[in-house]
Amino acid sequence: MSKFGYMCLIGRPNVGKSTLTNHLLKTPIAIESAKPQTTWYEVKGVLSTKGAQIVISDTPGIHDMIHRQQNQTMNRIAYSAVSSADIICHLITPPTWTAKDQYIHEFLQPMNKHKILVINQIDRFKPHELLPFIAKLQEQSCYQAVLSTSAKHGTNCDILLEEITNALPQNSPMFNKKHIHDHSVAFLTQEMIREQLMQQLQSEMPYTTHIEIFHVVQKDKILEVHVNLHVKHIGQKKILIGQDGTRIKEIGQTARKRLQIILKKRIMLKVWVKLSQKVTEPSNIEQ
Ligand SMILES: Nc1nc2c(ncn2[C@@H]2O[C@H](COP(=O)(O)OP(=O)(O)OP(=O)(O)O)[C@@H](O)[C@H]2O)c(=O)[nH]1
Ligand SMILES: [Mg+2]
């Protein structure tokens, strides 16, 4: 008997949703960083196991500062992913149940779906710090299961996967076993570049730099992708380029290596930095 269904990860920013997505999928399609609000879009991947197929959905961290247009858009993306899922994993981190966790919990409470509370990043704490926190959360009524994991080290991810698989509906698989995602090259390039901006730049720059993918062409055996990074000020342009072009080179090389792993093909990535007034916000790029 085969099983097939949709599982969605939801939680406040920085709890490890994208890290867990990549660990479960064994392919790094979701971007990760120590900065909050790294994920801006829903990123979906397909995990095929013996007898089951799960579409895993990574979502933007839920934000309560909803007066910002971008936060509203990102919350909407996350809520929409939840509404079409069979199983919801609500990620939190020790040692505190925050107001944002409570906000998400109340949003999930009336939903008639299989809900799992995942306490992630347990590697950062000692057992005596964790146990009272976990024991208290076992009482939270809206979850069918409460599990603790370390997405970074893979701890208990097999137990989580088993819990998810058990809760999947009986259905035939929808995708070929080798199918992992159907995101476009332009979308993935934009994501991998933004991950590098998040990881390599300070303050507001990763959030304000506009990424424009303007050329994607297969030439012989190499996929050529050209990217413009738009910044408003000359000082930002200098930071992005770095001493003798070292930073922009590093951004391009690291993003290219990651894209090659995901797309399983050779890629030539060219990146330019432009001074312009283009603003960045979740765009309409084909995903
Ligand atoms: N120590 C530890 N760090 C983790 C774990 N999971 C994720 N992290 C780190 O936490 C940070 C945030 O991880 P992400 O996966 O980007 O978090 P996210 O929930 O997707 O964040 P947003 O996209 O901003 O909502 C990164 O620096 C990860 O390396 C974990 O289990 N243990
Ligand atoms: Mg994320």
Side-chain angles (χ1 to χ4, degrees):
M1 196 90 66
S2 60
K3 290 185 153 196
F4 173 84
Y6 294 82
M7 184 279 274
C8 171
L9 295 159
I10 190 168
R12 61 185 151 82
N14 246 356
V15 287
K17 300 177 294 297
S18 303
T19 309
L20 185 58
T21 300
N22 288 339
H23 188 86
L24 293 174
L25 288 171
K26 299 181 191 78
T27 307
I29 62 167
I31 62 171
E32 304 167 21
S33 93
K35 291 196 179 64
Q37 296 197 288
T38 297
T39 304
W40 290 9
Y41 306 95
E42 182 184 13
V43 171
K44 278 192 204 167
V46 182
L47 174 67
S48 298
T49 62
K50 227 179 175 185
Q53 198 167 62
I54 314 163
V55 180
I56 297 174
S57 198
D58 181 26
T59 64
I62 295 291
H63 216 284
D64 49 4
M65 283 166 62
I66 51 172
H67 55 275
R68 279 186 59 191
Q69 176 67 38
Q70 183 169 336
N71 291 342
Q72 281 183 25
T73 309
M74 286 162 58
N75 282 0
R76 234 187 349 259
I77 291 169
Y79 291 142
S80 144
V82 164
S83 68
S84 52
D86 302 298
I87 300 161
I88 300 163
C89 290
H90 177 192
L91 259 71
I92 62 165
T93 55
T96 321
W97 175 263
T98 68
K100 277 184 196 161
D101 298 331
Q102 181 63 24
Y103 178 75
I104 298 168
H105 170 259
E106 283 169 16
F107 166 74
L108 297 178
Q109 204 155 25
M111 290 189 171
N112 186 21
K113 292 171 188 275
H114 192 91
K115 288 166 274 190
I116 305 170
L117 183 67
V118 180
I119 306 164
N120 190 38
Q121 305 199 10
I122 55 164
D123 58 289
R124 294 176 47 225
F125 299 88
K126 298 205 169 73
H128 74 270
E129 295 170 306
L130 285 173
L131 291 174
F133 181 66
I134 297 173
K136 212 169 156 199
L137 291 173
Q138 301 277 8
E139 294 161 18
Q140 293 279 3
S141 59
C142 108
Y143 304 99
Q144 275 80 2
V146 178
L147 297 174
S148 46
T149 59
S150 166
K152 193 169 180 174
H153 300 288
T155 316
N156 295 345
C157 288
D158 49 345
I159 300 174
L160 174 62
L161 198 54
E162 201 179 313
E163 172 71 28
I164 295 165
T165 307
N166 287 340
L168 283 176
Q170 305 278 1
N171 263 325
S172 305
M174 285 261 285
F175 301 95
N176 182 294
K177 271 192 174 173
K178 287 188 178 160
H179 185 95
I180 296 176
H181 68 88
D182 45 22
H183 291 294
S184 71
V185 173
F187 174 73
L188 289 170
T189 306
Q190 175 197 262
E191 288 292 274
M192 298 311 142
I193 296 261
R194 199 153 47 76
E195 181 179 64
Q196 289 314 304
L197 300 183
M198 290 279 182
Q199 291 186 359
Q200 297 199 31
L201 300 175
Q202 299 305 316
S203 68
E204 280 295 301
M205 272 194 72
Y207 303 96
T208 54
T209 305
H210 176 72
I211 306 165
E212 179 196 17
I213 315 296
F214 64 96
H215 174 91
V216 181
V217 173
Q218 183 75 43
K219 268 194 188 165
D220 300 322
K221 288 187 177 157
I222 297 185
L223 184 66
E224 243 186 65
V225 186
H226 295 184
V227 183
N228 278 335
L229 299 181
H230 297 270
V231 289
K232 282 187 183 163
H233 308 291
I234 185 74
Q236 294 173 324
K237 185 173 175 178
K238 282 185 184 159
I239 291 171
L240 207 42
I241 292 172
Q243 187 89 37
D244 302 323
T246 45
R247 178 164 282 130
I248 198 66
K249 194 171 163 195
E250 170 76 13
I251 289 170
Q253 280 180 351
T254 315
R256 179 179 62 84
K257 280 183 197 155
R258 184 82 178 268
L259 277 171
Q260 290 193 154
I261 293 171
I262 301 170
L263 297 168
K264 297 186 180 75
K265 55 169 80 173
R266 283 180 64 198
I267 289 168
M268 182 195 283
L269 186 60
K270 289 189 177 173
V271 186
W272 290 269
V273 183
K274 304 266 174 192
L275 269 183
S276 85
Q277 294 302 306
K278 283 194 180 175
V279 289
T280 186
E281 55 188 28
S283 66
N284 291 326
I285 193 166
E286 190 199 328
Q287 294 189 25

